[in-house]
Amino acid sequence: MSEKNSYLVFSGTRSRYLAEKICSSLGCPLGNLVVTRFSDGEFAVSYEESIRGRDVFLVQSTFPNSDNLMELLLMIDAAKRASARQIIAVIPYFGWARQDRKDKPRVSIGAKLVADLLRVAGIDRLITMDLHADQIQGFFNVPVDHLYASGVILPYLQGLHLKDLVIASPDVGGSKRANTYAKYLGCPLVLCNKTRARANEIESMQIIGDVKGKNVVIIDDMVDTAGTITKAADIMMEAGALSVRACASHCVMSGPANDRVEKSALEEMVFTDSIPYTQRCSKVVQLSVAGIIAETIRRVVNNESISSQYLI
């Protein structure tokens, strides 16, 4: 069996746009899968071609609503029952990742629950990108290929040729990620120290470091309501920054996020296409990670090293 005949790529409903790009990079057709929906909201999936003895790659980000996760679980179950040789879930955006620990009494750990659901459904491997917390990899008992959006974001930043560059983290929790970018680009690091009144609501924020006369790039893993990013940008401009940009792996952009970004001091907001973005915002730039994911799939099929393709 040739390399191209040994595996098939299928997609869930909401990630088809990305799966098509991945297949284009791989030079293979997207597999034929049908999702049948009933009037009460229930749905079923079926493969319209034989997958017996094949490695099956299932592309589906699990962003809200929960139908995306349920659709992926059904795809995994159907592939297992159709005698697929290996089932590899390709989840560019791993939903529920912010629930990675008990941060107060009597709460769920959603990331672990999702990991258990995927395991019970029958995955043999997971390919994902920029998890909210690296330790989520330990929730799985199967190999996890953890990719980084830096593979497309860093070349973009280098192409801007910004002078007096400073990398910033919007909170202390993201300092490790931002510091990695700063080291690679050979520039200083600035931190934002924030306190929250409640989820998605910032109480106060202070800048730790000097941004005066600098071009600042804020690095984060996701932007949800854009409250943190836009507030940080406004404070940095008030502190004398020449310009402020933001780069994030996942474009959640819920609620008032679009208006906040548009009205903020941000020069531009750079995302990957791990999540579909259908809104209109003149400041949003999307970079595709299809090439990175396609190369990872190729290397998994050929049992080649994946770590060698990481920039950082």
Side-chain angles (χ1 to χ4, degrees):
M1 187 180 291
S2 68
E3 177 195 319
K4 287 187 179 180
N5 291 330
S6 68
Y7 70 91
L8 290 165
V9 179
F10 294 90
S11 170
T13 305
R14 296 291 303 279
S15 293
R16 188 178 179 91
Y17 71 98
L18 182 56
E20 288 174 346
K21 294 179 190 174
I22 291 170
C23 287
S24 178
S25 292
L26 288 168
C28 69
L30 182 61
N32 189 9
L33 178 144
V34 173
V35 179
T36 304
R37 298 187 180 275
F38 304 99
S39 60
D40 64 350
E42 184 182 332
F43 50 88
V45 304
S46 62
Y47 294 93
E48 300 299 297
E49 57 188 295
S50 175
I51 60 174
R52 181 178 295 274
R54 313 283 277 278
D55 291 343
V56 176
F57 292 84
L58 307 178
V59 181
Q60 178 81 314
S61 284
T62 54
F63 55 95
N65 61 36
S66 56
D67 280 5
N68 293 311
L69 173 59
M70 189 63 193
E71 194 174 275
L72 176 59
L73 293 172
L74 290 173
M75 290 162 64
I76 295 165
D77 185 70
K80 180 174 65 177
R81 296 176 189 278
S83 302
R85 190 174 78 90
Q86 277 197 106
I87 302 168
I88 300 97
V90 181
I91 308 178
Y93 173 72
F94 188 87
W96 285 270
R98 284 173 282 187
Q99 300 178 48
D100 63 317
R101 67 197 185 284
K102 286 188 71 173
D103 55 356
K104 63 180 183 179
R106 298 176 296 279
V107 295
S108 63
I109 304 180
K112 179 64 169 73
L113 175 60
V114 172
D116 288 343
L117 289 170
L118 292 169
R119 176 185 58 81
V120 171
I123 66 167
D124 297 291
R125 191 181 198 101
L126 170 67
I127 298 173
T128 189
M129 187 180 74
D130 278 339
L131 290 167
H132 186 65
D134 287 349
Q135 65 266 23
I136 291 173
Q137 296 174 71
F139 293 170
F140 291 88
N141 292 323
V142 298
V144 177
D145 297 312
H146 188 205
L147 310 180
Y148 298 97
S150 55
V152 294
I153 293 175
L154 277 170
Y156 179 80
L157 291 177
Q158 289 173 314
L160 295 176
H161 304 292
L162 296 172
K163 295 181 179 180
D164 299 313
L165 178 64
V166 167
I167 296 295
S169 173
D171 51 42
V172 176
S175 59
K176 181 181 177 183
R177 179 183 300 106
N179 186 50
T180 306
Y181 275 75
K183 282 184 176 180
Y184 184 88
L185 295 169
C187 62
L189 174 68
V190 169
L191 300 179
C192 294
N193 182 37
K194 69 179 179 183
T195 56
R196 288 191 184 274
R198 58 185 62 85
N200 296 130
E201 187 176 322
I202 301 165
E203 190 170 36
S204 65
M205 179 180 287
Q206 302 84 33
I207 301 172
I208 304 172
D210 182 23
V211 297
K212 188 173 183 179
K214 307 292 185 182
N215 289 300
V216 183
V217 176
I218 304 171
I219 301 295
D220 208 351
D221 66 317
M222 68 173 72
V223 173
D224 189 353
T225 61
T228 298
I229 289 282
T230 53
K231 188 174 182 67
D234 293 341
I235 290 173
M236 287 174 181
M237 289 300 290
E238 290 170 9
L242 290 178
S243 69
V244 183
R245 290 170 169 78
C247 298
S249 307
H250 307 299
C251 179
V252 179
M253 294 289 279
S254 65
N258 213 54
D259 288 338
R260 282 177 175 172
V261 170
E262 193 70 71
K263 295 174 183 177
S264 73
L266 284 170
E267 192 89 6
E268 60 183 357
M269 180 76 247
V270 181
F271 294 111
T272 75
D273 56 354
S274 64
I275 300 176
Y277 179 70
T278 55
Q279 303 178 61
R280 292 288 177 267
C281 180
S282 62
K283 296 184 178 181
V284 169
V285 175
Q286 270 199 305
L287 309 174
S288 183
V289 291
I292 293 174
I293 295 173
E295 179 62 15
T296 302
I297 290 174
R298 189 190 68 78
R299 294 187 184 204
V300 167
V301 170
N302 293 325
N303 295 310
E304 296 175 5
S305 170
I306 290 168
S307 59
S308 60
Q309 71 173 314
Y310 299 156
L311 289 181
I312 55 174

